[in-house]
Amino acid sequence: MNFENQIIISAGYSNKEVINNILKLHIPNEQFDLDPTFSTGKFYKGLKIPCCCGDINPQNENIEKMDSTNLFNFADKSIESIMFDPPFCFGGKNGPHGGQGKERVGKQTTEIRFGMFWNFDALKEMYQKSLKEFYRILKKKGILIFKCQDYTDTKTTMTHCFVYNWAVETGFYAKDLAILVMPNKWYVKGRKQKHLRKVHSYFWIFQK
C-alpha cells in the first residue's frame, strides 16, 4: 500500500479513526477476519464488518454464540486477523462493592457484556485464556488487535501493562500500539478526586 504524503499517527479521537488507521497500516484487506466480542456492531460504524462476528451473548440471529476462551469452531492457524474488545472493569478482592455489582454482575462469572469482572483474577483468567486461543487459531504473522483500558477503583491497575506481558508470554510480538482519547465530563458528584480521570484506552497490535 502506498502511503506517500500520508502520515498515520498513533492516537485518535474515535473508535472509527483509530481502527481505520490500524486497518490501513496492519491489515492488508482492511477487514478483520474475526471479532468474538462483536456485541451490536456499533464499534464498526462507518467501517467494514469483520468476516466472522461472535459474542458470548449474541444480540441478534446473525451473530454466532462464541466464547473467546474456547474457540473450538476454529482450526489451528486458520485466521489472519482478530479484533478483541473485552470488558475492562473489575471488582475488589472479594468482588464488586457498593452498588456497582448489583445489576452488572449478578454472580461470579466471566460471561458478561459491558459488565464488571468479579475481581482482577477473573479478568486475568479470561484475558490469558483468550490470548492462548487467539495464538492457536492465528496463522503465522497473523494480527491480534487487543483493546484494553487501565482501571482505577481505590487504586490504579495499569491493565495495558499486564496485557503486554501476558501476550508476550503467550508468544506474541508487540508490533504497535494505538491510543484512543475520548474526553468526557463524567464524575461522581461529591466525591473527592484522587486520580487523574482516565479518558484514554489502548489498542495493542500483536503479531504471532
Side-chain angles (χ1 to χ4, degrees):
M1 185 175 292
N2 184 7
F3 295 114
E4 186 177 356
N5 299 322
Q6 179 183 5
I7 300 296
I8 299 177
I9 63 175
S10 61
Y13 294 92
S14 70
N15 280 310
K16 179 181 178 180
E17 181 182 2
V18 174
I19 295 172
N20 195 46
N21 286 344
I22 292 171
L23 287 168
K24 285 182 178 179
L25 196 59
H26 294 292
I27 309 298
N29 63 351
E30 298 187 25
Q31 182 178 26
F32 297 114
D33 282 352
L34 170 66
D35 184 341
T37 50
F38 183 77
S39 185
T40 60
K42 292 181 180 179
F43 197 63
Y44 295 98
K45 186 176 181 180
L47 298 167
K48 287 184 178 179
I49 300 297
C51 297
C52 183
C53 303
D55 198 278
I56 193 73
N57 183 19
Q59 296 302 290
N60 64 62
E61 60 184 12
N62 297 319
I63 308 304
E64 183 178 346
K65 185 171 179 58
M66 196 175 295
D67 180 351
S68 63
T69 68
N70 182 17
L71 298 168
F72 59 88
N73 286 336
F74 296 92
D76 295 357
K77 303 176 183 179
S78 61
I79 297 292
E80 293 277 2
S81 60
I82 301 170
M83 166 59 80
F84 184 49
D85 179 23
F88 68 91
C89 297
F90 57 89
K93 182 177 180 181
N94 298 313
H97 55 80
Q100 287 181 303
K102 289 182 180 179
E103 295 181 358
R104 298 175 69 187
V105 177
K107 62 179 180 178
Q108 185 170 348
T109 179
T110 57
E111 294 187 2
I112 53 179
R113 294 181 64 259
F114 309 122
M116 179 180 286
F117 288 98
W118 188 255
N119 52 33
F120 180 74
D121 288 341
L123 177 148
K124 177 181 178 180
E125 180 182 5
M126 189 266 204
Y127 282 17
Q128 288 185 317
K129 285 184 176 179
S130 297
L131 281 165
K132 289 179 181 177
E133 277 293 84
F134 298 152
Y135 194 85
R136 177 184 68 81
I137 68 173
L138 278 170
K139 298 178 181 179
K140 186 177 181 180
K141 303 293 184 180
I143 295 292
L144 164 65
I145 311 301
F146 194 132
K147 185 182 180 186
C148 59
Q149 186 168 340
D150 300 335
Y151 183 60
T152 298
D153 182 9
T154 305
K155 68 176 184 178
T156 297
T157 300
M158 299 298 184
T159 306
H160 79 282
C161 298
F162 285 99
V163 170
Y164 168 85
N165 289 330
W166 295 334
V168 171
E169 289 170 2
T170 303
F172 284 102
Y173 157 58
K175 186 177 183 181
D176 219 337
L177 177 64
I179 298 173
L180 169 66
V181 181
M182 297 183 71
N184 62 61
K185 298 180 180 180
W186 182 93
Y187 67 99
V188 177
K189 192 173 182 178
R191 179 179 295 179
K192 183 178 179 181
Q193 185 173 353
K194 297 180 180 180
H195 300 82
L196 295 173
R197 173 62 180 160
K198 292 165 182 60
V199 296
H200 66 283
S201 55
Y202 303 87
F203 285 78
W204 276 113
I205 295 92
F206 294 120
Q207 185 176 58
K208 180 174 177 179

